[in-house]
Structures are given as structure tokens and as C-alpha cells.
Amino acid sequence: MRLSRFLLPTLKETPSEAEIVSHRLMLRAGMIRQHASGIYNWLPLGLRVLRKIEQVVREEQDATGAQEILMPTIQSADLWRESGRYDDYGKEMLRIVDRHERDMLYGPTHEEVATDVFRKNVKSYRALPQNLYQIQWKFRDEVRPRFGVMRGREFLMKDNYSFDLTYEGARHSYNKMFVAYLRTFARLGLKAIPMAADTGPIGGKLSHEFIILADTGESAVFCHRDLLDKPAPENVDYDSDLQPLVDSWTSLYAATDEMHRPDHGVPEGDLVSARGIEVGHIFHFGTKYSAPMGATVTAPDGSSQAVFMGSYGIGVSRLVAGIIEASHDDNGIIWPDGVAPFDIGVINLKVGDAATDGVCADLYGRLRAAGKDVLFDDTDDRAGAKFATMDLIGLPWQVIAGPKGVAKGMVELKERATGERHELSIDSALAKLLG
Amino acid sequence: MRLSRFLLPTLKETPSEAEIVSHRLMLRAGMIRQHASGIYNWLPLGLRVLRKIEQVVREEQDATGAQEILMPTIQSADLWRESGRYDDYGKEMLRIVDRHERDMLYGPTHEEVATDVFRKNVKSYRALPQNLYQIQWKFRDEVRPRFGVMRGREFLMKDNYSFDLTYEGARHSYNKMFVAYLRTFARLGLKAIPMAADTGPIGGKLSHEFIILADTGESAVFCHRDLLDKPAPENVDYDSDLQPLVDSWTSLYAATDEMHRPDHGVPEGDLVSARGIEVGHIFHFGTKYSAPMGATVTAPDGSSQAVFMGSYGIGVSRLVAGIIEASHDDNGIIWPDGVAPFDIGVINLKVGDAATDGVCADLYGRLRAAGKDVLFDDTDDRAGAKFATMDLIGLPWQVIAGPKGVAKGMVELKERATGERHELSIDSALAKLLG
């Protein structure tokens, strides 16, 4: 993409309305613009990141055998009356009356709709387990939306709903998501720690929040130091017994503020006390929805049984901000490779200089031909502004070409994360970037 | 994908509520399920088609240099008051009041929001032209939703908004979309004909509907016979003058019912009278929104000028139904290659027979390794049911393996569109499918 044709309205000034660094940087980098309180437009740079995160989430869900569907944003209130939540849900639910005076709502979550899809289309235990997921916009009418897309009103989530005949089956479905989440967040360049979460009236222990540590986190969290370096699982066979793997994580203490207890038993030197941002939540809730809504299957013995369910959420739009909170410096964003809006930025320091133009066009063409996403700064801005913009938007690599270097057949290669710059021959730079 | 793990709730009976063939087939093939009037759940098979169409649309937009953004579904009423449309728009607009008593709405279209994005982020003629597109859900509260996703309330559209300094520039932006639409629909396996459409108070001739011909079409259309065979343009240079190419289409008579006039001048034998389905609409509307909303740029002479705009829509979810209307037979859907939910279906006629199981697993593995999307019917249904399901869901190719053929090293290859079946060696079948 040529920057001269790309809508990238960066801001030099720090927007006064932004309280946290991710919100400031997303505005300054031209990723988002507020439409109304808690509601955002995603500009080209921001949307590219959102889609990359979405794709990582999708691939890891597909690997577990979960199936992607898409449920509507506008839902009938009737289903929520069946589950009993219509009256209980507070003002966060955006309630709507349609032209025929029917009560509708903009889905803040999809348990009811997913349960309805299941009960209408699956009748026998033989079709179990099922795990249906979607990546869909939701709306929660927060009383005080803040922190940009970190706590917006219209937000993108990946949400799954699993359906099993037995508790044991449901626990396996839960474990699959536990492992898939570890892998997903690792691929996003994040260190997300599963922490025991409240199960409320459901009871049991099958509820975990996945928390990333960041100074600007919304709440205090506590965990055993060993969790910080524990690598995400690789080469997972999701049909195998995942319990030992899950236990290897849950046996190490980790708790959010509400769940933190004095008798945690972690030696003082091993207890990490930090602030965290919730980016995922997995929860087994048994027959909470299936029983009242009649989501039953025929069991092997011919009886009709309400299915055991769980739901599993990842805040996709929130993750854009979460990744920035975890990965930035004074100059701007530092994107992890897997979610960067472009892999490489090519900077032409002297547009109009034939030799430099030629080298840049050649680099741009060859990098793209090799399958790289490249942003080519072909504008006539001055060098300092170009450097500042490229650092601000945080692409992993920059290739900088100016007349002096080009005369010697050299360009500069800069790694955004370390700030290291090296002068290299053009071929060496290409080899390094494509190696 | 193994069918035994795929949620494909096909129906043997024709659903009574479905009036047109695409709606019937989408329900029978387990692609969609109604959630509420005009609001649908997309099940795995349907969502795969929707995403494939979306991707074709995206690629052809990107080729023109248009930039993808994403605007919110929930919009502030204030912008619509600025454009003057808030009070004019009828009951099709889903109006919402949020918890702070602010008037909001679920966007039925995005001219106002796009104009707002533009005016806040583009200030100079030097950044023109701009063409911003999104693929986003919209809501129109139709008084009588019908025909499934053909006229639903919550529907997916690709919509663009172009911004130019001059009318001539705007006409070039319009022509780009005209050509991109021809290419898009051709890639979707459709013969879409651009037909002059009403420009209302805007005047001029820059308004075309793209119509596919189908017996079940919603309205009567008329066109010159030569348009039916006119090939879509290839190898387009979008920076070149596209007017001659556009003229080669618009010089042939084509009009919807409302625009049809007796003095069309087409010899009787050359006039096609048919029924059509609108799948796209492109429209230049000058400064209709930019003037009242103050979407201006600094012109080369330093003056402030309202930009010339156009909008361009493709009904993405409607296209799923439109393609089925244009491509089906008594047995079910016949997907064009580019949008088929899977490329190939592999049918195991005798699950449990070791030799047949082995051949099927081998075929499934090798086809997938070659990058094909494969649906593998590994269920223990009887052969007749398997054939019926595979025909119903309309994958372009079927590979059928049973014990008798396998004993001879043979499988059957069936082409869905023609119904032709050939017995081939396994390697020949693979060569044919991967060739």
C-alpha cells in the first residue's frame, strides 16, 4: 500500500479525551475515530489489526473442531424471557421496539440465541459434542464508556457455546477452550494468565478469566511467578485428555482481586502482584439455559436430557487496545508480528530523486511479491515526520532509503521493537526481511 | 471437514413458509435458520458461502484502490439531522433511545457516517480522490420481510463512498465502481447487467442498478440481447480512462420497469424482456451530503469546496440467495466454483469397510493437502440419502467411493452442474480435480 493513497490521519497532539495509552495511540495512529460515546469508526490501519486478530482467533477455534456460525445482532426479547434474563438484565441491554411493536434488543451476549439454534437443529446425543462459535458485534450500553475500544459500547467478540451430553464431556469441551485460549493469546504476542473466576450459583471450578498484565490494567491480580514464563502448549491433540495440561496451569496460584484469598500458600517471593486486563473468559454453566429453554437431546437410553453447556468469550476489539497496552514505548505502538497491520514499512527519504525512487519501487515490489504486507511511504513529507509516523504506527520493520545510501547501494534496516538500525546492501536487507 | 462433525441440519420437506426457491433451498440445505421475522442465523454451510462472496467483493474493491474501513451499526441521530434525513426516513429506520435518552438508530445505510469520517480526517484536495468501503450489517425494518435473506431486515452490504474535488473526478470514481461491479459479479458466476436507474433530483445519468436475470426476479427488466453475452472486462488499469469501456455497456439499452420507455429503439428481436433481481446499485449524488454537512476540502486555489460524492452498494447476504435463484435444479443448489462452501464432496458409501475407508481417508487427505476445501461424508447414512444431501448442498464436484469400485481401484467422479458421472482410477480422479 502506498501511503500517498492510504487514509492515515495521524495526530501530532495527544488527544485530551484519551485517559490511557492505548486509546491515545489508537487515535494518534489514525486507527479509530469516535462516532458517539463508546462507538467507533475503524479506519484502514485499525481495521487491518482487528482483522488479523480475528483471523488468529478463528484459526485456533477451527483447530479445536469448533464450527463458525453467525447469529444476528438484533434479537427477539422472547428468548430472553424464556431464559428469565430479560427482566434481570439491567440498563446495559439496549432495548428496541420495532415497527410492529415487538420487543427486540441488540445482543449483549448470545447464550439464548445459541441455545435456540441448538435446540432447533440437534436432537440426538449422536450429534454431540457441538461447539458453535461466532465473531460478531455486540452492544452493551455502559453507563460510562471509557478507555476507547477497551470499554466501548459496540464491540467485537468471539463467543462460543458448547453442548455436551454429560458433565465429563462438558469438562473436555471446557479444557479444549482453555488450551485454545493459551495458544491464541500467545500467537497474539501476549502473556495471558488464566485465573480462577467466580462461578456464582453454578458452583464448581470451571470458570477462568484470561488476564494480561499491564500497568494500566483495570484491576489488581495475583499469581505465581512461574506462570509468567510458562510456555503456551504446542502441537495439541484436542481429542486427547487435556486435563493434565490444564492442571499444570491451574495448580499454580492465580486469582483476580475478588478471588484472591490470604491462604494462597505461595511463598512471598513467588507471588506476583500486578494489574491486569481481562481479554477472555471461559465458563461452564451446566443446564442453566438448556433446562428452562428445553435444549434437550435423546440420550442413548432413549430419555430426553438437557445438555451441559459452556460459553467462552474473547474480546476481539478490546484486544487491539490490550496488545498496545502491553507493547508500546514513548514513540508509539510496537506490534507483535502476527497482528501488525503491515509487516514492513518502506521509507523513501527523497521522493523525486530518481535513484532513490527506483530502489524504493524495487524494494516495494519484491517484498510484496514475496507475500509481505508493505506500507510504502512515498509522500513528500520531511524525513523527521516520516520517522515519527512509522514509529508511531509500529510496524515491526522499517527499510529506509535515501540518496546517500543508495549511491553506495545501501539502505537502512530498522527493527521497531529494539530501535536497532543497520546499514545493509539492498540484497542483504531483502534477505534479512524474507529470511 | 468431516460431515460427522459438521452442523448440517438438512430438511427433507420443503418448508411451508418459503415462497421462493432460494429461500427453500437455503433452509433445506441447512444454511440459515430464521431467528425472528427477517432476521437469520447463518449456520456453518451458509456462513462459508457468505464469507466467500465477501472475499470476492473485497478483492475487487481493493483492486480499484478503495480502502476498507468499518463504521458502527449503531449511529447517532444527530448526523441524520444534519443531512436532513432523520425525519424523512420512514419506519424502515430502526430508531433507538439509549440509557441517557439520546436518539440513536441502527444504520440502514452509511452516507452520513462516511461523510462525517471524511470531513473530520481529510482537509486538502491533495488527499483526493478517496474511496472508503466497508462490509457491514445494516438493518431496515421492512414492513413485510420476505423471501428469506433476499429481503431481510438485518442484512450484509458492501457499501462505498467516494470523494472527489470535481465532477470529472467523481465520474472516474463512478466508472471504477461500474467496472469493478462487472468483474465482481462475473467472478461470482453471475450475469449482472447494469441498467440505467432513476437519479431523482440529482439529475444526470450516473446511476445504475446491477440486475441478474431470474424467473423469480422481483421486477420486470428489459435489455438488448447483446448484453447477455458481453464478457466482463479483464486486466483493468483503474488509472486509465474507463469511459470508453463503460460506454460500451451503457450504449446498449437496458432499463428496469420504471425506466423502460417505448422509444428504446431496440429492434424487436433484440429486446430481452425478463425478470430481474437487483444485486448492486451505484449512484453519484454530487454535494447532496457534503454541502449540508460541511464536508469540504481546500482546493488548489485556496478556496473551500464541498466534495463530489457517490455511493456504491452490493447486497452481500442477498447475493447468496441471488446466486441460488440463478443456479439450481430440482435436486438442489449448483454453486459456481468461486463461492462454493466446499470445492469437493467425498462420499464414503460404506463406512466401516476397511478398503473404502482407506481410499476415502487418502482422497480427503490429498485433496486438502493440495489446498482444496473438502466436505467428507463419513456418516453411516444410506447411499441414497448421501447422494441427495450432496446434490442439495451443491458442491461443484463429488467423489464417490464404494467397495465394488475400490476393489478395482476405481471411484466415481460426478460434476454437480452437468450431473455427469465417470468411473476413474483414484489417481485420475485426483488429477482431474487438481488439474
Side-chain angles (χ1 to χ4, degrees):
Chain A
M1 176 64 65
R2 287 173 181 271
L3 183 55
S4 60
R5 296 183 171 203
F6 190 65
L7 182 64
L8 186 72
T10 55
L11 305 175
K12 286 198 191 66
E13 306 300 322
T14 297
S16 59
E17 75 268 30
E19 299 173 60
I20 60 172
V21 66
S22 59
H23 191 191
R24 285 196 292 271
L25 287 173
M26 288 181 76
L27 290 170
R28 286 193 52 214
M31 294 177 64
I32 55 168
R33 286 294 182 264
Q34 180 171 298
H35 168 76
S37 175
I39 302 178
Y40 291 86
N41 293 297
W42 292 79
L43 301 190
L45 193 78
L47 184 60
R48 292 179 79 98
V49 176
L50 190 70
R51 293 285 184 243
K52 292 216 172 180
I53 294 172
E54 197 179 311
Q55 188 56 25
V56 168
V57 170
R58 176 176 289 120
E59 287 170 10
E60 292 299 327
Q61 285 299 315
D62 289 344
T64 71
Q67 299 175 74
E68 188 171 2
I69 64 172
L70 191 67
M71 295 177 275
T73 60
I74 299 297
Q75 307 179 1
S76 162
D78 290 342
L79 282 183
W80 290 70
R81 293 196 176 101
E82 279 191 60
S83 74
R85 287 209 291 180
Y86 188 66
D87 294 325
D88 294 348
Y89 220 100
K91 290 196 167 187
E92 280 71 33
M93 179 186 278
L94 191 67
R95 294 161 204 263
I96 303 169
V97 178
D98 76 6
R99 69 186 295 167
H100 295 300
E101 303 295 327
R102 283 175 296 221
D103 289 329
M104 311 293 287
L105 56 98
Y106 197 122
T109 178
H110 280 72
E111 277 82 4
E112 282 79 359
V113 180
T115 305
D116 184 53
V117 167
F118 178 87
R119 71 180 174 181
K120 285 181 175 155
N121 294 291
V122 180
K123 305 295 184 187
S124 163
Y125 75 93
R126 278 191 298 266
L128 298 186
Q130 289 282 345
N131 189 333
L132 304 175
Y133 80 94
Q134 67 171 352
I135 299 174
Q136 176 63 299
W137 292 88
K138 295 178 170 29
F139 199 96
R140 286 185 197 158
D141 202 0
E142 300 273 355
V143 63
R144 193 186 161 211
R146 59 197 299 211
F147 302 153
V149 299
M150 187 73 86
R151 196 182 299 175
R153 292 199 289 171
E154 187 168 329
F155 59 98
L156 186 62
M157 275 195 77
K158 184 283 299 169
D159 47 320
N160 299 46
Y161 306 90
S162 68
F163 307 87
D164 283 272
L165 183 66
T166 63
Y167 172 77
E168 290 68 31
R171 190 170 59 188
H172 182 61
S173 293
Y174 183 90
N175 287 345
K176 281 183 173 180
M177 289 299 108
F178 189 105
V179 174
Y181 275 35
L182 291 172
R183 288 184 45 79
T184 300
F185 295 121
R187 280 186 62 189
L188 298 175
L190 293 171
K191 177 81 236 170
I193 298 170
M195 300 197 176
D198 192 14
T199 54
I202 303 290
K205 292 188 169 179
L206 299 188
S207 178
H208 286 88
E209 292 179 3
F210 287 74
I211 306 268
I212 57 174
L213 306 186
D215 295 341
T216 50
E218 60 214 339
S219 57
V221 296
F222 306 87
C223 72
H224 194 290
R225 182 170 304 283
D226 289 355
L227 283 167
L228 300 184
D229 306 317
K230 195 168 163 60
E234 293 185 22
N235 303 316
V236 176
D237 173 2
Y238 283 102
D239 290 331
S240 70
D241 179 12
L242 301 170
Q243 199 63 51
L245 175 55
V246 170
D247 289 345
S248 78
W249 286 81
T250 56
S251 59
L252 290 163
Y253 184 76
T256 58
D257 210 7
E258 311 88 71
M259 299 291 286
H260 189 47
R261 47 174 212 271
D263 61 338
H264 50 73
V266 182
E268 192 159 342
D270 288 340
L271 186 71
V272 177
S273 165
R275 299 199 67 80
I277 299 168
E278 182 194 341
V279 288
H281 189 185
I282 63 177
F283 187 34
H284 167 77
F285 44 71
T287 60
K288 179 181 175 187
Y289 299 93
S290 57
M293 293 182 65
T296 60
V297 293
T298 307
D301 65 4
S303 67
S304 174
Q305 295 195 11
V307 290
F308 288 82
M309 291 177 59
S311 72
Y312 315 91
I314 289 179
V316 176
S317 49
R318 155 172 275 219
L319 270 169
V320 181
I323 292 169
I324 295 173
E325 291 290 335
S327 185
H328 67 272
D329 63 16
D330 289 346
N331 296 324
I333 302 164
I334 303 170
W335 291 116
D337 288 343
V339 299
F342 297 92
D343 304 310
I344 301 159
V346 172
I347 299 179
N348 182 338
L349 287 180
K350 189 142 189 180
V351 170
D353 176 74
T356 310
D357 288 353
V359 163
C360 287
D362 182 50
L363 278 166
Y364 180 53
R366 286 160 75 181
L367 289 168
R368 291 207 307 161
K372 295 291 182 183
D373 279 337
V374 185
L375 183 65
F376 173 21
D377 186 345
D378 60 341
T379 66
D380 53 9
D381 278 350
R382 62 189 175 74
K386 291 190 177 204
F387 293 145
T389 295
M390 209 53 95
D391 277 358
L392 174 63
I393 67 174
L395 311 185
W397 294 95
Q398 303 171 15
V399 189
I400 303 156
K404 279 186 196 163
V406 164
K408 298 181 292 179
M410 307 292 271
V411 292
E412 264 198 329
L413 187 63
K414 175 175 170 179
E415 186 175 8
R416 175 67 181 89
T418 61
E420 282 178 23
R421 296 167 71 136
H422 295 286
E423 195 170 40
L424 295 173
S425 73
I426 294 164
D427 283 340
S428 300
L430 279 168
K432 172 91 176 156
L433 290 169
L434 303 177
Chain B
M1 177 64 64
R2 288 172 181 271
L3 183 55
S4 60
R5 297 184 170 203
F6 190 65
L7 182 64
L8 186 72
T10 55
L11 305 175
K12 287 199 190 65
E13 305 300 322
T14 296
S16 59
E17 75 268 30
E19 299 173 60
I20 61 173
V21 67
S22 59
H23 191 192
R24 284 197 291 272
L25 288 173
M26 288 181 75
L27 290 170
R28 285 192 53 213
M31 294 177 64
I32 55 169
R33 286 294 182 264
Q34 181 172 298
H35 168 76
S37 174
I39 302 178
Y40 291 86
N41 293 297
W42 292 79
L43 301 190
L45 194 78
L47 184 60
R48 292 178 79 97
V49 176
L50 190 70
R51 293 286 183 242
K52 292 216 172 180
I53 294 173
E54 198 179 311
Q55 188 55 25
V56 168
V57 170
R58 176 175 289 120
E59 287 170 10
E60 293 299 327
Q61 285 299 315
D62 289 344
T64 70
Q67 299 175 74
E68 188 171 3
I69 63 172
L70 191 67
M71 295 177 275
T73 60
I74 299 298
Q75 308 179 2
S76 161
D78 290 342
L79 282 183
W80 290 70
R81 294 194 175 103
E82 279 191 60
S83 74
R85 287 208 292 180
Y86 187 65
D87 293 326
D88 294 348
Y89 221 100
K91 290 196 166 187
E92 280 71 33
M93 179 186 278
L94 191 67
R95 294 161 205 262
I96 303 169
V97 178
D98 77 6
R99 68 187 295 167
H100 295 300
E101 303 295 327
R102 282 175 296 222
D103 289 329
M104 312 293 287
L105 56 98
Y106 197 122
T109 178
H110 280 73
E111 277 83 4
E112 282 79 0
V113 180
T115 304
D116 184 53
V117 167
F118 178 86
R119 71 180 174 181
K120 285 182 175 153
N121 294 290
V122 180
K123 305 295 184 188
S124 163
Y125 76 94
R126 278 191 297 266
L128 298 185
Q130 289 282 345
N131 190 332
L132 304 175
Y133 80 94
Q134 66 171 353
I135 299 175
Q136 176 63 299
W137 292 88
K138 296 179 170 28
F139 199 96
R140 287 185 196 156
D141 202 0
E142 300 273 356
V143 63
R144 194 188 160 209
R146 59 197 298 211
F147 302 154
V149 299
M150 187 74 86
R151 195 181 300 175
R153 293 199 288 170
E154 187 168 330
F155 59 98
L156 186 63
M157 275 194 76
K158 185 284 300 170
D159 47 320
N160 298 47
Y161 306 90
S162 67
F163 307 88
D164 283 273
L165 183 65
T166 64
Y167 172 77
E168 290 68 31
R171 190 170 58 189
H172 182 61
S173 293
Y174 183 91
N175 286 345
K176 280 183 174 181
M177 289 299 108
F178 189 105
V179 173
Y181 276 35
L182 291 172
R183 288 184 45 79
T184 300
F185 295 121
R187 280 186 61 189
L188 297 175
L190 292 172
K191 177 81 236 170
I193 298 170
M195 301 198 176
D198 192 13
T199 54
I202 304 289
K205 292 188 168 178
L206 299 188
S207 178
H208 286 88
E209 292 178 3
F210 286 74
I211 306 268
I212 57 174
L213 306 186
D215 295 341
T216 51
E218 59 213 340
S219 58
V221 295
F222 306 87
C223 72
H224 194 291
R225 181 170 305 283
D226 289 355
L227 283 168
L228 301 184
D229 306 317
K230 194 167 164 61
E234 293 185 22
N235 303 317
V236 176
D237 173 2
Y238 283 102
D239 290 330
S240 70
D241 179 11
L242 300 170
Q243 198 63 51
L245 175 55
V246 170
D247 289 345
S248 77
W249 286 81
T250 57
S251 59
L252 290 164
Y253 183 77
T256 57
D257 209 7
E258 311 89 70
M259 300 291 287
H260 188 47
R261 48 175 212 271
D263 61 338
H264 50 73
V266 181
E268 192 160 343
D270 288 339
L271 186 71
V272 177
S273 165
R275 299 198 66 81
I277 299 168
E278 182 194 341
V279 289
H281 188 186
I282 63 178
F283 188 34
H284 167 77
F285 45 71
T287 60
K288 179 181 175 187
Y289 299 93
S290 57
M293 293 182 66
T296 60
V297 293
T298 307
D301 64 4
S303 67
S304 175
Q305 294 195 11
V307 290
F308 288 81
M309 291 177 59
S311 71
Y312 315 91
I314 289 180
V316 176
S317 49
R318 156 172 275 218
L319 270 169
V320 181
I323 292 169
I324 295 173
E325 291 290 335
S327 185
H328 67 271
D329 64 15
D330 289 346
N331 296 324
I333 302 164
I334 303 171
W335 291 116
D337 288 343
V339 299
F342 297 92
D343 304 310
I344 301 159
V346 172
I347 299 178
N348 183 337
L349 288 180
K350 189 143 189 181
V351 170
D353 176 74
T356 309
D357 289 352
V359 164
C360 287
D362 182 50
L363 279 166
Y364 180 52
R366 286 161 75 181
L367 289 168
R368 291 208 306 162
K372 295 291 182 183
D373 278 337
V374 185
L375 183 65
F376 173 22
D377 186 345
D378 60 341
T379 66
D380 53 9
D381 278 351
R382 61 189 176 74
K386 291 189 176 205
F387 294 144
T389 295
M390 209 53 95
D391 278 358
L392 174 63
I393 67 174
L395 311 184
W397 294 95
Q398 303 171 14
V399 188
I400 303 155
K404 279 186 196 161
V406 164
K408 297 181 292 178
M410 306 292 271
V411 293
E412 263 198 330
L413 187 62
K414 175 175 169 177
E415 186 176 8
R416 175 67 181 88
T418 62
E420 282 179 23
R421 296 167 70 136
H422 294 286
E423 195 170 40
L424 295 172
S425 72
I426 294 164
D427 283 339
S428 300
L430 279 168
K432 172 92 177 155
L433 291 169
L434 302 177

